[in-house]
Amino acid sequence: MDEELWVGVIVLGGFAGTFGLIIWLIVVTSRKSYENICYLAERLGFEIPAEERKFGFYNSPDIVGEVRGKQVRLYTYTTGSGKSKSTWAAVSVVPLEHGGLTFSLSRQGFGTRVLELFGAKEIQVGDEVFDREWFIQTNAPDYLAMGLLPEMRQKIQTTHGKWKLAEGEILYVEKGSFSSRTRCDQFVEIVDAACDLADAAEVYAKQT
């Protein structure tokens, strides 16, 4: 009986230790995300968000500011639940005007092949590598083929998420959070690329 009791205590202690380790890792990750959000805000010249904690966990606040005269927001969100739950990092840039222009750019893959099977049409911009690696849709194919300048394509080429302009907002989304300092540094460059796309939308608006 004593031996069985000790086995039970050891098993229970193991479960408690594992649970405590998981909670500790979540707290550490949430703190790192908050610190990186502050780092990102500082690099972009935005206001540093106030620290907010609930049950020891740090919130991952949005950061908002202005870059090149445009409203910019960086944030995270989740989709799904349980084992299928995913975290996404995003940046939003609002052009001063867009003239009704819409577009989306996604890496070529299984999802884009499915879209093509259902009749989705992509455009080409005349850059062999870029056209091979990106699935591009827009309501202004002639303009976007011209408007995606080589330096803009070069910036987009370093990213792995999805770009779109819809309802007057440039949006870039990729899977992950801001717990990685490397991702934060990449998002500084992504903000710059998003502002370039917003500039292109503003030029289009002036021409229509």
Side-chain angles (χ1 to χ4, degrees), residues 19 27 49 77 79 82-83 94 110 124 134 181:
F19 181 75
V27 170
Y77 65 95
T79 57
K83 291 183 179 180
V94 180
F110 176 76
Q124 306 286 303
W134 289 90
R181 183 61 61 92

Side-chain angles (χ1 to χ4, degrees), residues 96-114:
L96 299 179
E97 51 186 341
H98 57 86
L101 178 66
T102 63
F103 60 72
S104 66
L105 295 91
S106 305
R107 285 281 182 178
Q108 297 277 8
F110 176 76
T112 59
R113 288 194 290 273
V114 171

Side-chain angles (χ1 to χ4, degrees), residues 133-151:
E133 297 186 7
W134 289 90
F135 186 85
I136 310 166
Q137 294 179 286
T138 181
N139 64 345
D142 292 338
Y143 175 76
L144 198 64
M146 176 189 65
L148 280 177
L149 302 173
E151 56 268 29

